[in-house]
Amino acid sequence: MKYISKIIISLFVVFIVSCGQKSQSVFLEKDGCLYEVADQVSFYYPKDFEIDQNNDNKEILQFVKDQEILNYKTLKDDTDNKVEDMPKLYAGQLEEDGAQDVYYLSTKLDSGIECYEFTGLYTATGLKFKHMIYFTAEAEYIYIYQAPQDIYDENISIISQYLNSLTVHHEISSFLD
């Protein structure tokens, strides 16, 4: 009898804890803000993040909330590297920049574009990251989330929905000039 009551109490505790967890699903139009970069790129970011007006690098859009950071940037690619080689080269660059446990995989975003998802950890700062990158022969379209490991682990399922909103509408070289 004691054994059965322990099981029932355990199940009840699990049920109560699971009811108190954050919703794992967001409605981008309601819970987020649409940001458009000219008519080239758009994405959503959470409403409780603010655009960082103190960001000195004008090529990077930065959205912050406490210790969490979302970045967007477009990097012109004037190399002769093949698009299929870019993920491996990018992972190597992350490792050169101090990232560890760098992994990447190909994924299809909500917009239908095929891009790459990179994850890892900067051990020097303790920041865990996830990059969504769309590679073309002319540019890299990069949407990044990074936060301290405990905050990252708590929020990544929700933030991933925003990262997956990255949309590259069309490629125009004049945008990058």
Side-chain angles (χ1 to χ4, degrees):
M1 185 69 177
K2 282 185 177 183
Y3 180 72
I4 293 175
S5 62
K6 284 182 181 181
I7 290 175
I8 291 172
I9 291 171
S10 296
L11 289 173
F12 181 71
V13 169
V14 169
F15 175 75
I16 295 297
V17 169
S18 67
C19 288
Q21 289 184 348
K22 290 183 184 178
S23 170
Q24 296 301 310
S25 197
V26 296
F27 299 98
L28 296 175
E29 294 83 9
K30 181 180 152 233
D31 300 326
C33 297
L34 178 64
Y35 195 95
E36 296 177 300
V37 181
D39 63 349
Q40 300 296 307
V41 177
S42 64
F43 55 86
Y44 283 89
Y45 66 93
K47 282 185 178 178
D48 56 349
F49 278 62
E50 295 181 6
I51 296 176
D52 184 1
Q53 302 295 337
N54 298 322
N55 182 15
D56 293 334
N57 188 342
K58 300 301 177 200
E59 294 179 10
I60 299 176
L61 296 168
Q62 188 162 287
F63 307 88
V64 295
K65 175 189 169 196
D66 301 324
Q67 299 177 47
E68 297 175 273
I69 301 171
L70 281 165
N71 289 324
Y72 173 78
K73 60 186 169 183
T74 303
L75 294 177
K76 184 176 181 181
D77 185 2
D78 54 4
T79 67
D80 58 356
N81 294 322
K82 295 179 180 174
V83 173
E84 58 268 14
D85 296 335
M86 297 304 293
K88 186 174 183 179
L89 294 169
Y90 191 84
Q93 184 62 52
L94 288 170
E95 290 170 345
E96 278 185 38
D97 293 342
Q100 292 186 342
D101 301 324
V102 175
Y103 298 100
Y104 65 91
L105 58 93
S106 176
T107 187
K108 192 170 195 169
L109 298 184
D110 297 340
S111 64
I113 63 173
E114 292 282 337
C115 80
Y116 285 85
E117 174 184 306
F118 290 79
T119 57
L121 172 70
Y122 289 111
T123 53
T125 61
L127 294 176
K128 209 168 175 182
F129 63 83
K130 183 173 186 178
H131 296 207
M132 299 303 285
I133 306 174
Y134 178 57
F135 295 105
T136 70
E138 296 169 344
E140 298 167 9
Y141 303 88
I142 308 168
Y143 196 17
I144 300 169
Y145 173 69
Q146 57 187 24
Q149 192 165 358
D150 56 336
I151 295 171
Y152 177 98
D153 291 342
E154 182 180 331
N155 296 326
I156 193 60
S157 65
I158 292 170
I159 292 295
S160 291
Q161 295 171 66
Y162 290 98
L163 293 173
N164 287 337
S165 73
L166 176 65
T167 303
V168 178
H169 301 286
H170 50 84
E171 302 165 31
I172 298 180
S173 298
S174 61
F175 172 69
L176 301 171
D177 294 333

